[in-house]
Amino acid sequence: MKIAMIGTGYVGLVSGVCFSDFGHEVVCVDKNPEKIEMLLKGEVPIYEPGLDALLAKNVEAGRLSFSTDLKSAVAGADAVFIAVGTPTRRGDGHADLTYVMAAAEEIANALTGYAVIVTKSTVPVGTNRQVKQTIRKANPNAEFDVASNPEFLREGAAIDDFMRPDRVVVGTTSEKAEAVMGEIYRPLFLREFPILYTDLETAEMIKYAANAFLATKITFINEIARLCEKTGADIKQVSRGMGLDGRIGNKFLHAGPGYGGSCFPKDTAALARIGQDYSCPMEIVETVIKVNDDIKRRMIEKVVDLCGGSVNGKTIAVFGVTFKPNTDDMREAPALTIVPALVGGGAKVRVVDPQGQREGEALLPGVQWVDDAYKAAAKADCVVILTEWNEFRALDLKKLAKKMETPRMADLRNIYSDKDAKQAGFEAYVGVGR
């Protein structure tokens, strides 16, 4: 199949590379010439484990190419995927569909024959029908169908998620479109991965409902963690005891500083707004958004209390600022709430993160970037673990404590324990929910 992928952001690039690895001919299109120039050189503009090697393999095989020319990429394509950004619109929480509709109009004018126009971007319920109207208005004679094909990729594990998905969701309006999508995903079908065909609105809703549920699960365990701190229970054992129940499962039950990233904050806000638009308030989701914001602020209080009630004049080493490990994504990361509060409180903040500096330098002004955890901790008054990178899971705590001015640790990912820290020479340790 010939595929045009419009947008080379996280979703578009990963999807385009993986589709080419299925054996399809893929052209990834972006309006940003600098990004396309990077890709043509084999340089990947995002950090995702394994993506650079898979990209190089399929470029060499002649199945994958990159271009700024949408018209030539769309000409003769069997399917055109829209994978542009849908950021939260300022002021009202809606997903901004400006880029989606602009892409749809441009695609309409580039169609040379029948194609399925597939929305890969996360969009509110009803958007695919708007895409259809936009294309029909721009090119009344166009032969096409629309389809919804939401992504369920975890940053840091996106390639494995694409190649071994829990499910593939495809919303269509015709048998012809379903046949095209079936052919595109045939390699997964042959390996018996579930492919769920629905109508357009159901596919759109599945994406929002799934992300909102996961955000709710994270927020629930963080609320239970707060209660554990009051009652003396241990959230790690509580989480394990819950997760062993097959009806609940053990994923997304790790207490921490709140959820972040490119999906959960944006999608919960959009779902809450959709509910308001349909006079059907999403009260649980609205509460999840509020509680998650409160959790981030509570983490600031933990660090301040650990430092004796004030961080003014204190040196604080922050380990990890990306919203999760194995990504360079800083979007809505808890660090963007916590670190500026520490800097604003008068602290000297040193940051160490394996991939976070590229984005973080602009987002976290006033901090010092260090390439080694032990250097960051030298003469520091407190260490704060914000992201559970593997590099921070097996630190030599004795060595770390000896380097510090006052060995204190705020372990906001519960990697270690009070016993571990105290035995290593830390005078104070605080986790989450323990």
Side-chain angles (χ1 to χ4, degrees):
M1 305 290 280
K2 182 180 178 184
I3 295 172
M5 183 67 64
I6 312 305
T8 62
Y10 186 84
V11 172
L13 187 57
V14 171
S15 299
V17 170
C18 289
F19 277 141
S20 69
D21 205 56
F22 283 174
H24 302 307
E25 181 186 337
V26 180
V27 182
C28 292
V29 180
D30 203 286
K31 286 185 175 294
N32 185 338
E34 292 178 0
K35 188 182 281 189
I36 293 300
E37 192 173 327
M38 278 184 71
L39 290 165
L40 289 170
K41 292 177 183 175
E43 299 171 5
V44 179
I46 58 172
Y47 176 73
E48 179 61 36
L51 185 60
D52 49 356
L54 199 63
L55 183 148
K57 169 190 167 186
N58 286 285
V59 167
E60 187 177 350
R63 293 187 294 263
L64 178 64
S65 59
F66 305 97
S67 177
T68 56
D69 187 354
L70 182 144
K71 191 171 183 179
S72 64
V74 169
D78 298 293
V80 182
F81 283 79
I82 298 174
V84 297
T86 53
T88 300
R89 200 162 66 194
R90 287 185 178 276
D92 63 6
H94 263 307
D96 188 340
L97 300 178
T98 304
Y99 302 122
V100 172
M101 296 308 165
E105 189 170 342
E106 200 170 341
I107 290 164
N109 294 315
L111 290 170
T112 57
Y114 176 81
V116 181
I117 314 304
V118 190
T119 303
K120 199 78 174 159
S121 305
T122 302
V123 295
V125 178
T127 299
N128 279 277
R129 295 199 185 275
Q130 292 179 43
V131 167
K132 185 175 182 178
Q133 292 169 4
T134 298
I135 295 172
R136 182 63 66 208
K137 183 179 178 181
N139 184 355
N141 298 318
E143 291 183 64
F144 72 99
D145 280 308
V146 295
S148 174
N149 179 215
E151 54 83 20
F152 299 96
L153 306 177
R154 294 169 300 160
E155 294 190 39
I159 292 172
D160 192 60
D161 284 348
F162 199 101
M163 299 298 192
R164 300 173 183 82
D166 292 327
R167 79 294 202 195
V168 174
V169 175
V170 178
T172 62
T173 56
S174 77
E175 291 183 3
K176 191 174 183 181
E178 186 174 315
V180 170
M181 295 302 291
E183 190 61 30
I184 288 172
Y185 281 108
R186 191 165 180 267
L188 296 182
F189 174 77
L190 293 174
R191 288 155 57 205
E192 299 186 345
F193 289 105
I195 300 178
L196 176 64
Y197 291 99
T198 72
D199 56 62
L200 294 172
E201 288 78 10
T202 300
E204 292 165 337
M205 184 62 82
I206 287 170
K207 170 65 175 181
Y208 277 115
N211 275 357
F213 183 80
L214 294 175
T216 300
K217 200 171 179 184
I218 293 169
T219 306
F220 178 83
I221 204 64
N222 282 333
E223 275 221 305
I224 295 296
R226 185 180 185 186
L227 188 57
C228 284
E229 291 174 0
K230 301 289 187 182
T231 61
D234 185 334
I235 192 61
K236 290 198 80 169
Q237 292 188 355
V238 171
S239 297
R240 178 164 168 75
M242 290 172 61
L244 289 170
D245 187 326
R247 297 167 301 174
I248 296 172
N250 62 3
K251 293 183 178 178
F252 292 87
L253 283 180
H254 302 288
Y259 63 76
S262 62
C263 293
F264 290 177
K266 177 172 67 75
D267 293 352
T268 49
L271 184 58
R273 185 64 202 190
I274 292 166
Q276 291 167 11
D277 288 348
Y278 283 88
S279 300
C280 183
M282 297 286 99
E283 294 181 27
I284 292 175
V285 176
E286 290 172 0
T287 301
V288 164
I289 295 168
K290 177 188 176 298
V291 172
N292 189 62
D293 289 339
D294 291 343
I295 287 164
K296 293 177 184 179
R297 286 190 288 270
R298 195 157 53 84
M299 297 301 115
I300 299 166
E301 295 170 8
K302 277 183 177 288
V303 178
V304 172
D305 290 346
L306 190 64
C307 291
S310 173
V311 295
N312 188 35
K314 300 288 200 303
T315 298
I316 298 176
V318 174
F319 293 175
V321 289
T322 54
F323 88 94
K324 63 183 284 189
N326 297 321
T327 181
D328 58 358
D329 198 340
M330 292 284 296
R331 284 175 286 185
E332 302 291 337
L336 297 182
T337 299
I338 297 166
V339 173
L342 299 177
V343 173
K348 178 184 177 183
V349 178
R350 299 177 188 147
V351 173
V352 54
D353 189 292
Q355 295 293 333
Q357 186 170 355
R358 183 168 61 177
E359 285 192 26
E361 280 183 325
L363 296 170
L364 296 173
V367 308
Q368 178 187 355
W369 291 86
V370 184
D371 60 5
D372 176 80
Y374 301 102
K375 288 180 185 175
K379 299 295 180 182
D381 298 287
C382 178
V383 161
V384 180
I385 299 178
L386 264 182
T387 311
E388 65 277 35
W389 285 90
N390 283 337
E391 287 88 336
F392 308 139
R393 288 185 177 275
L395 293 167
D396 184 335
L397 296 186
K398 287 184 179 179
K399 179 180 177 182
L400 198 67
K402 285 179 181 177
K403 285 186 171 290
M404 298 177 67
E405 185 71 27
T406 52
R408 302 169 184 157
M409 178 184 288
D411 180 5
L412 304 185
R413 295 292 182 174
N414 289 341
I415 294 174
Y416 301 103
S417 68
D418 183 71
K419 183 180 177 183
D420 293 335
K422 295 289 176 60
Q423 286 182 345
F426 278 84
E427 65 180 49
Y429 170 93
V430 62
V432 177
R434 307 164 84 186

